[in-house]
Amino acid sequence: MKARYAHIDIARGMGILLVVFGHNWIVSDTKTDLFNVIYSFHMPFFFFLSGLFFRHTDSLAQLSFNKFDSLLKPYFVTMILFGIAVALAKPLDFGEYVARVLHSTGGSLRTLYGDENGMTSYWSPLWFLTHLFLLTLVAWLGITAFEKLQLGTRPRVAFMASFFMLGAVAMNQDWIRSLSFPGDQYEFKGLPFSLDLLPVTLGFFLLGYWLREKVFNFSPSISLLLGALAIFAVCHYAFNATMDLNKRLYDDVVITTLEALCGIYITLAVAHVLGRGKPVLAKAFSYIGEASLLILIFHAFIQNKSYYLLDTKLGIGGMPAGLISFALACALPIALYYIVERVRLFALFFLPIKNHWPLRKPQMAGGISSGANSSGGRS
């Protein structure tokens, strides 16, 4: 971990912990103010981080291969393995399963498969992987167009702001579309690979790309931090606005966007402070960031299952079960990552080939933000 990037590694670790906690019973089922606070910035923050490490110098073909390797490969491997497990346990509607996997929005993956306990959201967070694949390709095309047209900073910002606002307003519309599969037709909310979210996610992604040098050399300003905290608090207290990209919710174009931008700055500032603290804490958050891909993939399954077992089998529910399931949803994927990065066959299926074949200690590009956007990736 390069010293100048320590705060980025830590911020990535903080971000994935917020994603996991956002899907925990304590937050998602109770829908308290904590839900609104976390959801107002945690996913924009990941798109912002992804933009930091985007390399426009790669060709479109090389970019497509890298993104398939780091994003789509682990997605399809997971879906294939889970499909096989389901088929061995009970009859599986193959056509519907394939249609939902190919459509790949939070809604289609949420109802991918429900067990006898009614749990259907194990794989919903994986919409982020397929959408980030699409997003990086569109970003490459957009940046190329900006450069060929020789647009200055102001025209670029004006265009992206208009595109962003249009997308935020349109997000609240009913995006119900049909997807045909041989012999059957299925209806899903949202466009394939969450294409309808592009105007909003592209805005946060390009913001990270354009500000990457400033963020890499980030040092928080006390006045800006206090201002961000004040705006963030006032927006939540006065308007109670938030967003949920997975469910196509964007409460207010201005207020919700302000919350997201302030949340990003606050998180970077906290990460910067942690990076200057005890090395053990910084290394812990950094390693969590490296393992963020596997945490994203498996946390919902572990968290939902463990909470259900604690509640029904051991009589432990509510807050205690929520905290235990959160700890397990973080710890077990981290342990799995420790194994995967050291076993060549597992690394081949879940980690970028360039970074892990032949097998070696992964560098900075291990997570779902930097790894997805380097040459080497509610949710």
Side-chain angles (χ1 to χ4, degrees):
M1 176 177 67
K2 295 183 179 179
R4 69 179 295 217
Y5 295 154
H7 61 292
I8 304 298
D9 286 342
I10 294 169
R12 189 175 56 189
M14 293 170 58
I16 193 63
L17 291 180
L18 285 173
V19 169
V20 179
F21 194 54
H23 295 153
N24 187 271
W25 174 90
I26 296 173
V27 176
S28 62
D29 283 21
T30 56
K31 292 292 191 301
T32 61
D33 290 337
L34 185 59
F35 174 92
N36 290 342
V37 169
I38 292 176
Y39 274 75
S40 66
F41 74 94
H42 77 316
M43 290 313 298
F45 181 66
F46 260 113
F47 289 116
F48 178 85
L49 285 182
S50 299
L52 294 180
F53 295 94
F54 178 68
R55 289 176 41 146
H56 185 247
T57 54
D58 290 340
S59 68
L60 184 60
Q62 184 63 42
L63 180 71
S64 300
F65 174 79
N66 288 339
K67 298 307 163 281
F68 180 89
D69 182 40
S70 60
L71 296 170
L72 294 191
K73 180 183 71 177
Y75 170 77
F76 284 116
V77 166
T78 302
M79 292 295 92
I80 290 172
L81 292 177
F82 183 69
I84 292 173
V86 172
L88 292 175
K90 60 186 298 185
L92 174 68
D93 187 333
F94 178 78
E96 181 177 2
Y97 187 87
V98 171
R100 292 187 179 279
V101 168
L102 293 178
H103 191 259
S104 189
T105 63
S108 60
L109 296 177
R110 178 177 295 276
T111 52
L112 185 65
Y113 167 75
D115 64 13
E116 66 275 9
N117 306 315
M119 297 181 178
T120 59
S121 57
Y122 293 152
W123 312 111
S124 182
L126 271 64
W127 73 267
F128 177 82
L129 297 179
T130 54
H131 181 72
L132 187 56
F133 170 81
L134 176 66
L135 174 60
T136 51
L137 301 188
V138 173
W140 189 95
L141 295 173
I143 294 172
T144 300
F146 286 146
E147 292 180 351
K148 287 188 176 182
L149 294 173
Q150 297 183 337
L151 294 179
T153 301
R154 289 184 179 179
R156 294 186 188 192
V157 172
F159 174 81
M160 283 309 306
S162 302
F163 192 51
F164 180 94
M165 292 178 68
L166 178 63
V169 172
M171 189 187 301
N172 295 319
Q173 306 301 313
D174 288 331
W175 289 92
I176 304 296
R177 294 293 180 272
S178 297
L179 180 66
S180 298
F181 193 81
D184 294 287
Q185 189 171 16
Y186 307 98
E187 285 191 347
F188 303 118
K189 184 174 183 178
L191 300 179
F193 282 31
S194 298
L195 176 64
D196 49 301
L197 297 182
L198 266 178
V200 170
T201 58
L202 183 63
F204 290 112
F205 184 94
L206 290 181
L207 184 64
Y209 175 74
W210 287 332
L211 296 179
R212 61 193 183 281
E213 288 303 321
K214 292 183 180 296
V215 176
F216 287 149
N217 298 287
F218 180 78
S219 181
S221 162
I222 297 298
S223 58
L224 285 178
L225 177 58
L226 292 176
L229 285 168
I231 294 173
F232 191 75
V234 169
C235 286
H236 277 288
Y237 180 78
F239 301 97
N240 201 31
T242 191
M243 73 173 77
D244 189 340
L245 299 181
N246 180 22
K247 295 184 178 179
R248 307 307 191 266
L249 172 67
Y250 207 93
D251 281 340
D252 186 276
V253 175
V254 177
I255 300 301
T256 304
T257 304
L258 274 176
E259 291 173 346
L261 295 177
C262 290
I264 290 171
Y265 189 89
I266 294 168
T267 306
L268 288 174
V270 173
H272 182 271
V273 172
L274 291 176
R276 297 170 65 90
K278 294 184 178 180
V280 173
L281 187 62
K283 288 181 179 180
F285 274 105
S286 178
Y287 195 74
I288 291 171
E290 279 189 26
S292 57
L293 174 64
L294 294 187
I295 295 175
L296 177 78
I297 291 175
F298 295 109
H299 79 271
F301 178 85
I302 296 170
Q303 192 158 238
N304 289 350
K305 272 292 188 182
S306 60
Y307 185 91
Y308 171 79
L309 292 175
L310 287 168
D311 186 33
T312 60
K313 305 300 182 182
L314 300 179
I316 303 174
M319 184 71 71
L323 293 175
I324 295 172
S325 62
F326 170 74
L328 291 173
C330 295
L332 293 182
I334 291 173
L336 180 61
Y337 174 72
Y338 181 84
I339 297 171
V340 166
E341 67 172 346
R342 286 164 173 76
V343 179
R344 181 169 298 186
L345 180 61
F346 294 164
L348 176 64
F349 286 134
F350 284 100
L351 302 177
I353 292 176
K354 185 170 183 177
N355 287 345
H356 298 274
W357 194 275
L359 193 63
R360 62 181 177 85
K361 178 67 178 177
Q363 301 300 316
M364 187 174 177
I368 56 177
S369 43
S370 67
N373 297 294
S374 66
S375 294
R378 110 194 79 104
S379 282

